[in-house]
Amino acid sequence: MGMLCAVSFNRYGRLYYLDPGELRPEVGDRVLVPTDEGTEVAECVWAAQWVSDDTSGFPRLAGMATEADLRRDETQRRRKAEAKVAAKRLIREHGLPMKVVAVDHVLDAGSVGSNSARTTIYFTAPHRVDFRSLVRDLGATLHCRVELRQLSARDSARVQGGIGSCGRDLCCATFLTDFEPVTIRMAKDQDLPLNPLRISGACGRLMCCLKYEHPLYANSASYPTPGQRVETPEGPGRVVSRHPPSETVTVRQSSDGSTSRCALSDVCGSRRAYEQR
């Protein structure tokens, strides 16, 4: 058992869980979070509280943000906004098929002066782009070292965030840490319509959530297939669809054509006989 709190670097952004140590931040407090580029300012969105999980592997807060930290964070955000505007302008001037997704600006630890700053610009493009001249112009405009990194469609959705077809924040932008392979076979096994608009996410690729319930459908060999005749407590009928998460099937009655959802044990003869024994 230990204590955890959750912080976010951006409003409605991804949550990061940390061990508060001796600190007790409240919701809305600004705290310092250790990162690969040094400590950064984040906002506490979940106050420190006791949890039953082991918290020994979680990083620890570096402290509460001071006025100097807040000023530095505001400067960083302003430089990011300026770099994004400059990047979009120069991309148009160079006529490159690129779309700026996000900008990161850091100041190397232990160094002084603008020349030590580094700006990383993340972009998407339909193919590989020769941006060498763009980097030179960006460096001359921003007066710092500039790096450009091309993101895939899934990584772009993760960085930008958004709302999925379910009405909730994108999984990749909230809790998913790794992208696992998703295939069209998963949609077929779950009897989903093979309409790209229905099974594609904000990134244009197959939705990551297709993998969540797929193990249930992959292990549903005992379920009757759609169109198969079955016997139900209301009489004979044909299976319309199956629902492994709830262990039920939808059956269309042969008598009046009505549909009803029945438990798997009511339509699976071998299972019913096994339970009776």
Side-chain angles (χ1 to χ4, degrees):
M1 174 177 275
M3 297 195 74
L4 284 180
C5 65
V7 303
S8 176
F9 293 98
N10 300 295
R11 182 64 60 91
Y12 309 119
R14 183 176 178 180
L15 298 183
Y16 296 87
Y17 297 90
L18 298 99
D19 180 359
E22 302 298 327
L23 303 175
R24 296 296 179 268
E26 299 292 337
V27 175
D29 290 345
R30 297 300 183 91
V31 295
L32 296 178
V33 178
T35 68
D36 294 338
E37 304 294 343
T39 57
E40 294 190 18
V41 177
E43 180 180 354
C44 179
V45 296
W46 180 32
Q49 57 184 272
W50 292 99
V51 296
S52 57
D53 299 330
D54 181 18
T55 61
S56 59
F58 288 86
R60 176 169 293 194
L61 287 180
M64 304 296 292
T66 62
E67 289 297 329
D69 296 322
L70 295 179
R71 288 194 299 269
R72 176 173 57 86
D73 182 65
E74 182 61 28
T75 301
Q76 296 284 77
R77 294 179 183 275
R78 185 169 59 252
R79 289 299 302 269
K80 289 180 183 179
E82 294 172 353
K84 191 171 186 177
V85 172
K88 289 183 176 181
R89 176 177 58 82
L90 290 174
I91 287 174
R92 287 195 302 269
E93 293 178 359
H94 285 263
L96 298 174
M98 301 166 58
K99 178 182 177 182
V100 177
V101 175
V103 176
D104 189 20
H105 180 79
V106 297
L107 188 66
D108 292 343
S111 56
V112 180
S114 60
N115 292 332
S116 62
R118 182 177 76 257
T119 298
T120 304
I121 298 175
Y122 301 92
F123 70 94
T124 58
H127 49 75
R128 293 183 63 87
V129 180
D130 184 3
F131 48 73
R132 286 174 294 184
S133 59
L134 175 63
V135 172
R136 289 195 297 268
D137 291 346
L138 281 172
T141 301
L142 301 177
H143 305 290
C144 65
R145 190 166 77 255
V146 177
E147 296 180 4
L148 269 71
R149 297 183 182 178
Q150 186 170 354
L151 298 179
S152 64
R154 290 186 184 274
D155 286 328
S156 175
R158 168 187 284 179
V159 172
Q160 296 183 92
I163 304 298
S165 57
C166 60
R168 306 187 65 176
D169 292 333
L170 298 179
C171 298
C172 58
T174 52
F175 65 89
L176 281 184
T177 56
D178 297 311
F179 291 122
E180 298 184 7
V182 182
T183 64
I184 195 67
R185 184 66 189 177
M186 295 180 181
K188 293 181 179 178
D189 291 343
Q190 298 176 53
D191 300 327
L192 295 175
L194 302 183
N195 183 347
L197 298 178
R198 298 284 300 277
I199 60 176
S200 298
C203 60
R205 304 294 191 269
L206 292 174
M207 292 188 296
C208 295
C209 57
L210 291 177
K211 192 175 181 65
Y212 297 165
E213 296 180 355
H214 182 255
L216 296 175
Y217 288 85
N219 298 326
S220 60
S222 60
Y223 282 71
T225 58
Q228 181 177 337
R229 293 185 61 85
V230 294
E231 290 289 337
T232 70
E234 290 78 18
R238 289 185 181 274
V239 175
V240 177
S241 59
R242 53 183 184 163
H243 315 282
S246 60
E247 294 190 345
T248 59
V249 294
T250 299
V251 179
R252 186 181 303 278
Q253 301 297 330
S254 301
S255 57
D256 56 3
S258 62
T259 59
S260 60
R261 182 171 290 195
C262 304
L264 179 63
S265 58
D266 292 337
V267 300
C268 185
S270 58
R271 177 172 177 174
R272 186 166 60 248
Y274 172 79
E275 291 179 349
Q276 290 176 354
R277 291 199 303 269

